Every structure is written in structure tokens, then in C-alpha cells.
Amino acid sequence: MPKIKVKRQSTIVDMTAMTDVSFLLLTFFILTAKFRPAQPVIIDMPGSESQILVPENLLVISVDREGKVYYSIDNPKVRVATLQQLIQRYGDIYPTLKQLTDAQIANFANVQMYGNDIAALPQILNLPPDEVNSAVQYAGVPIDSANNQLRDWIQAGRWADQIDRQESGAERPDVRVAIKGDKTSSIKTIQDVIKILTAEPVNIHTFNLITTLEGAAVPAAEGEGGEEPAKQ
């Protein structure tokens, strides 16, 4: 009886289609990725074991190792609206605000972090957009009782966010306040910031303290390696 020969089939798998899909996905992620620009001021945050993620739509108050205070908000449109609210509501208190031109106000959208007296705004906003963060000497936002500018920045930011949500119809929660302090900064400055938040007229009693995850090999930078853990 003759042997039955089994037809041999090729074991070669055509990977062309899979390779095409891989390159398409890689191209998509490269084109759609958004990289956060480097922060003008380096804040070496303390570690914690909290794994609560920082919420979106943040108003961040930063304190560096020298105790200087900075104000920042991510949305460029809301940044401009914040300055407009500051002019509208506090123009009589800070006469410098009424001297700002439309071009200077628009340039505030490029200011990632503000850390100076309001009187310095015209000089800073006269800089080209690519220099408003790199060519500035920071003195810190005043927080003393006689010149509490941080309080006014916070209030203006909340009003600006509320107006933006109403005008755009965006379904997002109210802007959340977070404190990001350097691990070597003065605890008294942090306490002063918290007093401003909890006192009238700000009256914010729920906020986040931004930290890095303790035990991680390398602390995740903002916009790299995922969201920052926060301790409330």
C-alpha cells in the first residue's frame, strides 16, 4: 500500500499588515501627543504614599525653596480671562492693570507661571511670547495682609473659569485649587497660603497638595510618566 504524502504547508506568516498597523499607531501617537513645556521654576516636591491622581482643570499655587509664591493655571484662554477679570474687578486697586494694552493682555496666555507683583505686568508682557517665561526674574506674588495679591489672583481665576465654562458650554467641574510646595520651602509660607485659601472672601476648604509618589525610582515630572499623585 503506497504511503500517503502529507502536503507540506508554509509556516511563514505575512507580517506586512501588522507592521503597517504598528507604524500607523506610532504615527498617530507621535502627532497627537502633547508635551508640557518645561516649568520656569523648578519645584522639588516632597514624597508621599498617596496615589490620588491630580484632577484636571487646576489652579496651582507653587512655593519654591526660597518661599516665593507663584500662580498658574493650565488653560491659556482662562489665563487671559483671569487677567481681564483682574482688570475689571481690581483695576482701581492696581492702577497698572488699566494701562495694559490688548496685545499685552493677549500675551498673558503665554505666561505659564506668574510670580511677581502686579506692577511688573507691563514690563513682562512687553517681552516676546517665547521670553515671558525664560527672561523673567521672579520675586514672588505678594501674600502679606497689606498687599494680598495672591487672594485677588485666585478670585479672578475662579471667576474666569466660571465664565469660560458658561460661554463654551463645557461640562467640567469648577476649577480645583492645588498647592505645590518645594520639600525644603518654609512651612510658614505654606501655612500663609492655606490661610488665604480658607479665609474670606476666597473660602476654599478643599484643595490638593501635590507630591511625588514615595518609593518611585524617579519622580514623575509633570506631563511625563503619568499624572502626579496628590495628597488631599
Side-chain angles (χ1 to χ4, degrees):
M1 185 175 180
K3 292 183 179 180
I4 299 174
K5 293 183 178 180
V6 179
K7 185 178 179 181
R8 294 184 178 180
Q9 296 182 351
S10 174
T11 57
I12 299 175
V13 178
D14 188 358
M15 299 292 291
T16 304
M18 187 175 294
T19 304
D20 290 343
V21 171
S22 299
F23 276 107
L24 284 172
L25 288 173
L26 181 61
T27 303
F28 171 79
F29 288 125
I30 291 175
L31 294 177
T32 57
K34 294 182 179 180
F35 298 95
R36 184 186 293 271
Q39 290 290 339
V41 178
I42 303 300
I43 306 292
D44 186 10
M45 296 171 292
S48 77
E49 296 181 356
S50 172
Q51 297 189 34
I52 302 173
L53 297 182
V54 173
E56 296 181 357
N57 194 30
L58 271 185
L59 187 161
V60 181
I61 302 165
S62 303
V63 181
D64 69 9
R65 64 183 60 190
E66 297 175 2
K68 297 176 184 176
V69 177
Y70 306 83
Y71 170 93
S72 62
I73 197 163
D74 285 339
N75 190 327
K77 183 180 177 183
V78 177
R79 288 179 203 161
V80 175
T82 298
L83 183 54
Q84 291 171 335
Q85 287 297 309
L86 205 64
I87 296 169
Q88 178 181 335
R89 297 172 183 267
Y90 300 106
D92 293 335
I93 300 175
Y94 309 111
T96 304
L97 292 172
K98 293 186 175 181
Q99 301 172 11
L100 295 175
T101 65
D102 291 341
Q104 288 174 319
I105 294 172
N107 196 19
F108 194 70
N110 300 299
V111 178
Q112 299 169 24
M113 180 183 290
Y114 190 75
N116 280 295
D117 192 290
I118 287 176
L121 269 171
Q123 180 181 355
I124 294 171
L125 296 180
N126 278 334
L127 295 171
D130 59 345
E131 294 183 12
V132 291
N133 298 298
S134 60
V136 176
Q137 296 293 324
Y138 296 102
V141 175
I143 61 171
D144 57 274
S145 57
N147 186 23
N148 194 344
Q149 295 185 15
L150 178 63
R151 174 197 60 206
D152 299 335
W153 276 111
I154 295 170
Q155 288 292 81
R158 296 169 75 190
W159 288 320
D161 177 74
Q162 182 179 11
I163 292 172
D164 180 68
R165 284 186 290 114
Q166 292 174 348
E167 292 180 348
S168 64
E171 295 183 1
R172 65 172 188 258
D174 293 346
V175 65
R176 181 89 174 189
V177 174
I179 300 174
K180 181 167 67 174
D182 193 280
K183 64 183 180 182
T184 61
S185 60
S186 168
I187 187 63
K188 182 181 183 304
T189 305
I190 302 293
Q191 290 173 336
D192 290 341
V193 169
I194 293 175
K195 285 179 182 178
I196 291 172
L197 289 175
T198 55
E200 295 291 346
V202 181
N203 200 27
I204 294 177
H205 296 272
T206 303
F207 50 86
N208 289 86
L209 298 178
I210 301 179
T211 62
T212 54
L213 183 59
E214 197 169 80
V218 179
E222 291 185 5
E224 302 173 359
E227 295 285 345
E228 292 179 344
K231 184 177 180 181
Q232 182 172 311

